[in-house]
Amino acid sequence: MKDISILFVCMGNICRSPLAEGVFTHLVAEARLTDRFTIDSAGTGGWHEGEPPDRRSIAVARNHGIDIAGQRARRIRSIDFVSVDLIVAMDRDNMAEVNRIASSEANIQLFGDVALGTGEDIADPYYGGPEGFELLYTRLLTGCSSLLETLVAERTSCSGNTSSVR
């Protein structure tokens, strides 16, 4: 299997995408596939650059044995569009923004499509309470588990030259 790079994207890179990065990283580590994946997250806006994830995202991750406190928010960069195999947007608004600024080489997918198969947007829990972050964690865990399974199966079945991921 070749390395797969994945970038989770939300608006400010403090709630949804850092938690997705943490969940996916945790699942990859549990599967002993850390050497095969590069996992990151970013935001479409730069309001929180350099800041840690929202304290509620950190708390829900910690409650499930995942540490995301060391992550720092960043804005998506032009290099991401050519260096990342799969860019996963948390909702349609962020997907539209990423598509607006992306190069034609970018592989941009909606989390609800590529990970959940439902087409749903992953709601931003920022303006709500802890229950929204717990629901976010549950949707991300379900989707990231499915996405990991799909990516591993695709890469394992490939001859090494092609993949539907890219």
Side-chain angles (χ1 to χ4, degrees), residues 112-129:
D113 287 339
V114 73
L116 293 170
T118 61
E120 71 189 80
D121 283 344
I122 299 301
D124 189 348
Y126 185 78
Y127 293 105

Side-chain angles (χ1 to χ4, degrees), residues 151-163:
L151 292 174
V152 169
E154 284 181 358
R155 289 295 169 121
T156 301
S157 69
C158 290
S159 65
N161 296 327
T162 61
S163 171

Side-chain angles (χ1 to χ4, degrees), residues 34-82:
T34 304
D35 60 330
R36 297 180 179 175
F37 284 87
T38 301
I39 306 156
D40 199 0
S41 63
T44 56
W47 313 279
H48 300 287
E49 281 188 274
E51 295 177 16
D54 184 285
R55 61 180 170 70
R56 297 165 294 176
S57 283
I58 293 172
V60 77
R62 185 180 22 235
N63 290 343
H64 293 280
I66 301 170
D67 182 9
I68 65 169
Q71 293 182 26
R72 293 296 174 261
R74 73 171 181 88
R75 189 173 194 171
I76 195 165
R77 302 177 298 245
S78 58
I79 189 70
D80 293 324
F81 300 119
V82 293

Side-chain angles (χ1 to χ4, degrees), residues 15-112:
C15 294
R16 294 171 289 174
S17 58
L19 189 55
E21 176 187 348
V23 168
F24 197 78
T25 299
H26 180 76
L27 293 171
V28 165
E30 281 187 334
R32 302 179 197 266
L33 297 171
T34 304
D35 60 330
R36 297 180 179 175
F37 284 87
T38 301
I39 306 156
D40 199 0
S41 63
T44 56
W47 313 279
H48 300 287
E49 281 188 274
E51 295 177 16
D54 184 285
R55 61 180 170 70
R56 297 165 294 176
S57 283
I58 293 172
V60 77
R62 185 180 22 235
N63 290 343
H64 293 280
I66 301 170
D67 182 9
I68 65 169
Q71 293 182 26
R72 293 296 174 261
R74 73 171 181 88
R75 189 173 194 171
I76 195 165
R77 302 177 298 245
S78 58
I79 189 70
D80 293 324
F81 300 119
V82 293
S83 66
V84 174
D85 295 315
L86 179 60
I87 298 172
V88 181
M90 293 291 118
D91 63 37
R92 283 174 180 73
D93 289 341
N94 287 296
M95 187 164 169
E97 180 61 16
V98 172
N99 276 315
R100 187 185 70 75
I101 61 175
S103 62
S104 61
E105 300 88 25
N107 180 13
I108 305 158
Q109 302 289 326
L110 182 67
F111 187 89

